[in-house]
Amino acid sequence: MITAELREQLTAIVGNENYEDSKVSKLVYSYDATPQFQAMPDAVISPRDTEEISQIVRLCNEHQIPLVPRGSGTNLCAGTCPTEGGIVLLFKHLQSILEIDEANLTVTVQPGVITLDMIHAVEAKGLFYPPDPSSMKISTIGGNINENSGGLRGLKYGVTRDYVLGLEVVLPNGEIMRTGGKLAKDVAGYDFTRLLVGAEGTLGIITEATLKLVPMPPAKKTMLALYEDMEAAAESVSNIIRNQIIPTTLEFLDRPTLQVVEDYAQIGLPTDVEAVLLIEQDGPLEIVEEDIQKIAEICEQQQAISVKVAESEAEADGLRTARRSALSALARLHPTTILEDATVPRSEIATMVKAINEIAEKHHLQICTFGHAGDGNLHPTCLTDGRNKDEMDRVEQAFEEIFIKAVELGGTITGEHGVGMMKAPYLHLKLGEAGIEAMYAVKQALDPNNIMNPGKVFAKDTRKRVVVNK
Ligand SMILES: Cc1cc2nc3c(=O)[nH]c(=O)nc-3n(C[C@H](O)[C@H](O)[C@H](O)COP(=O)(O)OP(=O)(O)OC[C@H]3O[C@@H](n4cnc5c(N)ncnc54)[C@H](O)[C@@H]3O)c2cc1C
């Protein structure tokens, strides 16, 4: 609880205008993009710099007040829901791009910078920042780092983790620490940068990040392959990679998703096929053309009923936008949309999609699936109604079965959305007892009072002991 005295100390740090505890502001920050989770914070604070954050953290640590760092709140794992009350910390005053270093190919930003704004800023200098979560128009770099977000270009270029070179972080005791930096080679001590990426705000507050940039690829081509058979589409994915071609993008949409996306985006996508692959390659023009030609041949050998290369950048952009809008399009249909990101080795995609459909049928649920076929990261998306208790029980059961199946196939419970509160009960499936204990030891060492985003990643009392046949 925030006492009157503590409130006074906190407002003395950030100013009255940056301390909100009206009912309205608390309600606004009581939930994020994850359906079915809501809890009121005690206050919402917007610090103006690292020093203020450090002072706030010291006070919270002393008084054992929970602190929930929040970017744009677009996470899908209830990662910013203040489930134990306390303070929601906003980064609206930390939105500057501090430096684009063309000699070292780095960009240094504050955590509240919007991902796409940063991408546009570096592209204006002919540079490229590849991680492109579909939410990039609104998500922040701080959020991307803490969820280790991926995107459509992840197959070839990797995820956020692969671009974080250095961080400034306020630790749970209020100390300010710097990790890594602009160096390409640096093995001095433990790799805290890697530890903090994907930590979901449980180990500290990121106040600055230095990210790696790469040269902008000179050419890019986009194509669409249509299939009447899911397995043929999945086999094409494996064959493309078996032929040692790594496309920039290799995305997949199933028939129900396709129908909804076309209805929403109206760009002339076919709606009578079982699966579509959206494929992109970038690089020097000659190589791109050669790869696209080979990929088209592979898709045709795998019984693609149509293979079409986009004729203009506008057409290609339409296809990408259609894929990026899949979640928004699906979300229009029912009151509640629950999107998951069970991930399997790419060779198991067809098996996994089949299993998802069987599980949906068994529990009488509507589950559409799309995702990053190239890296096996699928998004089974359940269209449901949170007010229907019986249906929600079946949804929970279905997703548990989906996670178990993914792990049985050598996959994981989350490929890019993080654990948060939502998937904490399933983390055990992937990490096992020893893994959870090791993680907990790290958490205890850095945050013994458990003030940083409590209730996330570690399940309180629901660690499940589900047997998985690997
Ligand atoms: C329509 C839609 C599409 C999406 N598409 C993708 C996608 O393609 N790929 C993907 O990976 N995800 C996707 N997501 C999920 C989400 O957008 C990402 O996880 C994103 O990185 C979250 O950014 P955010 O700024 O909203 O962070 P938030 O949701 O505010 O926070 C995410 C986590 O980071 C922590 N955090 C935030 N800032 C800091 C900080 N400065 N220091 C410490 N901790 C911090 C929070 O406590 C929380 O645990 C999508 C979500 C939506 C709604």
Side-chain angles (χ1 to χ4, degrees), residues 33 68-76 79-80 91 111 132-135 138-140 142-144 146-151 200-201 204-207 327-328 372 416-417 453:
V68 182
R70 178 179 166 119
S72 295
T74 66
N75 74 87
L76 297 164
T80 45
F91 300 98
D132 60 339
S134 298
S135 53
I138 176 172
S139 72
T140 63
N144 292 174
N146 275 278
E147 298 294 6
N148 189 12
S149 296
E200 303 187 24
I205 298 167
I206 309 286
T207 47
L327 173 57
S328 319
H372 316 286
E416 59 181 14
H417 290 167
N453 213 357

